Amino acid sequence: MLKKRLIPKLLIKHRPMGRSVRPVLVTTRSFSDAQDVGDPISQAKIYEAQLADELAVLNIDGTPIAGDEVMLDLIERLAEETFMPLCVGGGVRTIEDFGTLLNRGADKVSINAAALASPQLIGDAAGRYGAQCVVVSIDFRRDEYSRWMVMRDHAALSGGRELLDWAREAVARGAGELLLCDADRDGSGGGLNWQAGQQVAAAVPVPVVLSGGCGRAEHFVEGFKLGGAEGVAAGTFFCFRDQNPMQTRAHIRNAGVPIRMET
Amino acid sequence: MTKAVRPMVGVVDYQAGNIQSIVNALDHLGAQARRVSIPEELRGLSHLVLPGVGAFGFCASRLRSSGLLDDLARWTLVDRLPLLGICVGMQLLADSSDELGHQTGLGWGGGRVRKLETDSRQIRVPHVGWNTVIFEEDFGEYRSGDSADFYFDHSYAYDAPTVAHRVAHCSHGRLFCAVIRRANVVAAQFHPEKSQSAGMQFLRSFLELRRDA
């Protein structure tokens, strides 16, 4: 049967180093306080050895991916040095960007701000590349009325979209997968927002991946069993925590969640 | 490689998706892999891979305008050399696909491609992730009854059709063909180049096929 997915997130920033610019792996807390944690390629290989089901690579500078040889070269090298599925996002603006990334080695391309600005892009990309390549990434947080509101460019728009509403629209337009991230929980280690996940998962027929706040193996179990998630993406959890990834998998499996245990 | 001669594998580059990952995986296995974008580049090859990422219609039209179709047909139907279709590459080999109405495939693999259906919130489409493939026949390193998990990412799949061509099946809402084989034509719905060591074993098994006498 279909297994649930553990998806390490590689958050990438561009760092000038001498005369060149290098892609650096970082972690964040509530989408800020980026801390350098090392080289993305080495970390990706470690994740692969630890049985990661998929890798999410996100350019958090949000600079346009078109012509960004630093990021594009990184994706190409990741595809060369690892043999695992790659979802790439950050700065994707046009349908040509989809093609560029898919040709360099991405299996799926994630759009966030561009989808909010021009929802048409979702359907155009799905029409050419298939829904299975189109991931709509949604960052959200509670507003002052406790509603889950979609964020845009790391800020909740006042009078913006509600999470459920946008999730439904994105899927209706052709998104093959949703990647939800609770901004308040990002990097907190306090647990996923599985409640939001549950509502979104009940509302759409496509896979939903939850992210933001994993601190213990049990949080993953909540995401899968309570949150309706097909995948859980985590950045800080895999970088900093002392957790042994295989123990995390074993804990998840022992909780009755189908998950890969060997290559 | 059990044989002395290194396989020379072409990966058809028809501007529809990721060639490099497949080339990388084949390199990793010790084969000599290269892109094929013009007919001349087919010379000297022992195996061919037809990848495919994208909607069926988009890929089919790119393949048609690639200038390679006649030579691919000769490779497959006349010379009967080993051909591996992957994901949409597999679907292009079908008789037909239901994606966007009814579209005709190349027919070299046979069979019909239909949409996977969600029937509950347990079965979601696209089918994304690692799922178990059960082999019904011997194929390369696999024996009938073997199973392995591979990475899938698709919304359409072969019906479980003509048993004669079904090498392995998988299930997601319904049973579908994960691997088919019709003489020298093999096809996989999953992505062996993204399925880590399981995928490597599968590619090695394909490379064990030699020219169909």
Side-chain angles (χ1 to χ4, degrees):
Chain A
M1 69 176 297
L2 184 62
K3 310 288 189 297
K4 301 292 186 186
R5 290 173 270 150
L6 293 196
I7 307 171
K9 279 196 295 193
L10 293 183
L11 305 182
I12 308 291
K13 282 189 85 67
H14 299 67
R15 283 269 184 268
M17 289 189 183
R19 263 184 232 134
S20 62
V21 178
R22 307 274 295 282
V24 166
L25 185 60
V26 301
T27 59
T28 57
R29 177 74 175 86
S30 298
F31 294 168
S32 62
D33 305 331
Q35 260 193 72
D36 288 13
V37 293
D39 173 59
I41 305 277
S42 320
Q43 192 59 45
K45 287 161 104 158
I46 292 171
Y47 288 146
E48 186 178 39
Q50 291 167 347
L51 229 53
D53 298 303
E54 202 173 293
L55 217 56
V57 186
L58 301 169
N59 161 25
I60 63 169
D61 285 323
T63 45
I65 195 79
D68 182 350
E69 272 312 309
V70 173
M71 271 299 289
L72 293 174
D73 180 69
L74 173 64
I75 301 307
E76 196 167 311
R77 282 187 299 136
L78 283 171
E80 220 165 85
E81 308 228 19
T82 64
F83 299 101
M84 47 193 285
L86 298 175
C87 175
V88 181
V92 177
R93 306 270 160 91
T94 67
I95 196 168
E96 286 73 28
D97 292 340
F98 273 80
T100 304
L101 284 169
L102 294 171
N103 285 337
R104 295 285 188 123
D107 297 279
K108 297 187 278 183
V109 175
S110 155
I111 45 176
N112 187 335
L116 284 164
S118 333
Q120 173 83 10
L121 177 61
I122 304 172
D124 289 347
R128 184 184 289 192
Y129 297 108
Q132 80 288 341
C133 290
V134 182
V135 177
V136 171
S137 171
I138 308 177
D139 300 326
F140 66 98
R141 64 164 29 123
R142 279 202 188 282
D143 68 1
E144 61 266 43
Y145 305 106
S146 277
R147 295 173 304 179
W148 290 316
M149 300 301 285
V150 177
M151 295 169 69
R152 187 159 147 187
D153 297 329
H154 307 311
L157 290 178
S158 56
R161 300 293 300 273
E162 287 200 60
L163 172 62
L164 220 54
D165 191 54
W166 173 231
R168 282 197 186 101
E169 181 179 343
V171 172
R173 285 181 175 273
E177 188 166 77
L178 295 179
L179 170 58
L180 308 181
C181 189
D182 183 328
D184 289 331
R185 293 172 186 250
D186 173 60
S188 70
L192 288 167
N193 188 340
W194 59 261
Q195 293 88 343
Q198 183 183 68
Q199 287 202 21
V200 173
V204 300
V206 304
V208 177
V209 175
L210 290 185
S211 185
C214 284
R216 302 196 319 264
E218 189 55 24
H219 294 151
F220 290 86
V221 175
E222 286 169 359
F224 294 132
K225 290 184 106 166
L226 302 173
E230 291 289 318
V232 171
T236 312
F237 181 89
F238 291 114
C239 273
F240 280 150
R241 304 283 157 176
D242 277 330
Q243 317 284 350
N244 175 315
M246 286 316 293
Q247 277 176 8
T248 302
R249 272 187 191 265
H251 179 101
I252 295 168
R253 197 264 312 268
N254 292 341
V257 177
I259 195 149
R260 280 165 80 222
M261 291 301 298
E262 65 203 2
T263 53
Chain B
M1 302 288 127
T2 52
K3 315 275 177 171
V5 178
R6 247 172 115 191
M8 304 274 301
V9 189
V11 183
V12 182
D13 182 356
Y14 59 110
Q15 299 295 300
N18 176 22
I19 309 302
Q20 200 55 43
S21 291
I22 299 170
V23 169
N24 295 339
L26 292 164
D27 275 346
H28 190 78
L29 284 173
Q32 272 196 284
R34 62 166 190 256
R35 295 172 178 257
V36 171
S37 41
I38 51 173
E40 289 66 33
E41 287 168 341
L42 286 167
R43 208 162 292 149
L45 297 177
S46 61
H47 295 72
L48 204 57
V49 176
L50 182 69
V53 172
F56 184 98
F58 173 72
C59 292
S61 101
R62 282 280 160 105
L63 189 57
R64 257 179 261 122
S65 50
S66 68
L68 288 165
L69 258 186
D70 287 347
D71 296 84
L72 292 182
R74 183 169 34 253
W75 171 284
T76 307
L77 305 172
V78 176
D79 299 339
R80 296 169 65 75
L81 291 164
L83 175 73
L84 171 65
I86 295 176
C87 200
V88 178
M90 174 190 199
Q91 296 173 6
L92 291 173
L93 299 175
D95 289 330
S96 68
S97 168
D98 285 356
E99 195 165 343
L100 280 188
H102 185 88
Q103 303 194 68
T104 312
L106 294 168
W108 303 341
R112 189 179 150 212
V113 172
R114 279 196 305 124
K115 186 144 207 233
L116 292 172
E117 298 297 336
T118 64
D119 61 1
S120 67
R121 287 302 185 237
Q122 301 308 312
I123 301 293
R124 292 171 181 270
V125 176
H127 174 218
V128 189
W130 296 78
N131 204 343
T132 308
V133 170
I134 299 176
F135 285 82
E136 301 167 30
E137 282 185 12
D138 292 355
F139 175 73
E141 298 180 15
Y142 300 96
R143 295 286 151 273
S144 171
D146 284 350
S147 66
D149 283 3
F150 297 93
Y151 186 81
F152 290 85
D153 187 17
H154 63 118
S155 308
Y156 291 82
Y158 267 67
D159 273 348
T162 46
V163 175
H165 300 158
R166 191 169 80 219
V167 168
H169 68 260
C170 184
S171 179
H172 188 65
R174 65 171 165 93
L175 217 59
F176 65 89
C177 293
V179 181
I180 58 158
R181 180 181 175 183
R182 195 190 210 178
N184 55 309
V185 177
V186 181
Q189 183 59 69
F190 48 82
H191 286 274
E193 76 283 11
K194 297 287 178 163
S195 295
Q196 296 179 16
S197 28
M200 290 299 174
Q201 183 174 18
F202 181 81
L203 287 172
R204 255 198 327 265
S205 296
F206 167 65
L207 293 178
E208 283 185 24
L209 294 188
R210 292 285 154 167
R211 185 188 194 120
D212 216 16

